[in-house]
Amino acid sequence: MSVCIELTGKTAVVTGGYSGIGLSISRVLLKAGARVIIIGMNEERFISVQDEIKKISPEFDFYKLDIKNSMKISDTIQKIIDKESKIDILVNNAGIVKDGLLIRMSDEDWLDVINVNLNGTFYITKSALRHMIKAKSGRIINIASVIGEMGNSGQANYAASKAGIIAFTKSVAKEYAARGILANAIAPGFIKTVMTDRLPEDVKNAIKKGIPLGTIAEPEEIANAALFLCSELSAYITGTVLNVNGGMYM
């Protein structure tokens, strides 16, 4: 028995929705009938995939925005509300990495990752929440990481930001469940990207050995988890972390 997820009439905001996991999430939401508003700094990257997205659905828009800037976020969210009248779904996907051993990590690299990954999630969620509260409904999906659960050498800044997102998600879920707003996180494991494709075969094989399912995930597998959390199939799920990691962390 197959289940078709229908999001027609829903408006979704996806940060960093023009590349990697974010692009896959934008695709599946569009295929499900949602109108998708993509937010991010890299306008050139968006333009490079615009025609591809348009083949799925013309129901999308783009706003260039630095998610580290809380004032501009507030203005942009208001512009979206003015044009779309609502935000039903918020997917906080945008994030960066600046890896390095802790003893060598600069203050700048620490702060950049925290400011984009964690503070950006806070700023956008806070701004969108005001409108979801008025509507007495909303879905917030935050993209965390398996690294935020288990840590990783050379990624203290990234691990801290993603662990913060997990705790933040649970707090939002507790605060706003009574207002009809559900907040959940997805913690991906290793995902097939341009970066992982460039790894030597022996490194990829070593990674796969640490994954019980023995494979590196496609971005679409994370996007499908996001689609589920956006749908009515997850109406009784909030404050959870959905691990999509092939079993590498349980």
Side-chain angles (χ1 to χ4, degrees), residues 54-146:
K54 196 176 291 185
K55 288 177 184 177
I56 300 170
S57 169
E59 291 298 316
F60 67 92
D61 207 344
F62 171 76
Y63 289 80
K64 184 175 180 179
L65 176 67
D66 180 356
I67 65 170
K68 301 190 302 297
N69 189 318
S70 61
M71 291 297 292
K72 288 186 177 179
I73 284 172
S74 182
D75 290 344
T76 299
I77 292 296
Q78 187 58 55
K79 286 177 183 177
I80 293 170
I81 292 295
D82 290 344
K83 184 174 181 180
E84 311 293 339
S85 79
K86 60 177 183 171
I87 296 173
D88 301 294
I89 298 161
L90 171 63
V91 182
N92 285 305
N93 163 79
I96 62 171
V97 295
K98 289 194 174 183
D99 296 346
L101 294 176
L102 182 60
I103 197 71
R104 297 173 188 161
M105 186 175 290
S106 67
D107 292 356
E108 182 181 6
D109 285 354
W110 171 270
L111 290 171
D112 280 351
V113 171
I114 296 297
N115 283 335
V116 172
N117 298 2
L118 183 55
N119 293 350
T121 295
F122 161 69
Y123 295 143
I124 292 182
T125 302
K126 181 180 177 182
S127 189
L129 261 174
R130 291 189 175 97
H131 304 284
M132 290 181 173
I133 290 168
K134 289 178 183 177
K136 297 181 180 179
S137 68
R139 300 293 175 92
I140 299 168
I141 294 95
N142 296 325
I143 305 303
S145 171
V146 66

Side-chain angles (χ1 to χ4, degrees), residues 201-218:
E201 282 303 313
D202 60 331
V203 174
K204 282 195 264 190
N205 290 334
I207 291 171
K208 290 176 184 178
K209 284 181 181 178
I211 303 172
L213 287 182
T215 60
I216 295 174
E218 297 287 341

Side-chain angles (χ1 to χ4, degrees), residues 6-90:
E6 180 65 52
L7 296 177
T8 300
K10 301 293 186 182
T11 299
V13 171
V14 183
T15 68
Y18 41 58
S19 63
I21 292 172
L23 178 57
S24 290
I25 291 173
S26 295
R27 286 191 193 116
V28 299
L29 296 182
L30 285 166
K31 287 177 182 177
R35 177 161 172 79
V36 176
I37 311 303
I38 297 170
I39 285 176
M41 274 292 291
N42 198 330
E43 190 170 6
E44 289 182 4
R45 182 72 63 85
F46 167 74
I47 291 170
S48 72
V49 298
Q50 186 173 8
D51 290 341
E52 174 193 340
I53 296 172
K54 196 176 291 185
K55 288 177 184 177
I56 300 170
S57 169
E59 291 298 316
F60 67 92
D61 207 344
F62 171 76
Y63 289 80
K64 184 175 180 179
L65 176 67
D66 180 356
I67 65 170
K68 301 190 302 297
N69 189 318
S70 61
M71 291 297 292
K72 288 186 177 179
I73 284 172
S74 182
D75 290 344
T76 299
I77 292 296
Q78 187 58 55
K79 286 177 183 177
I80 293 170
I81 292 295
D82 290 344
K83 184 174 181 180
E84 311 293 339
S85 79
K86 60 177 183 171
I87 296 173
D88 301 294
I89 298 161
L90 171 63

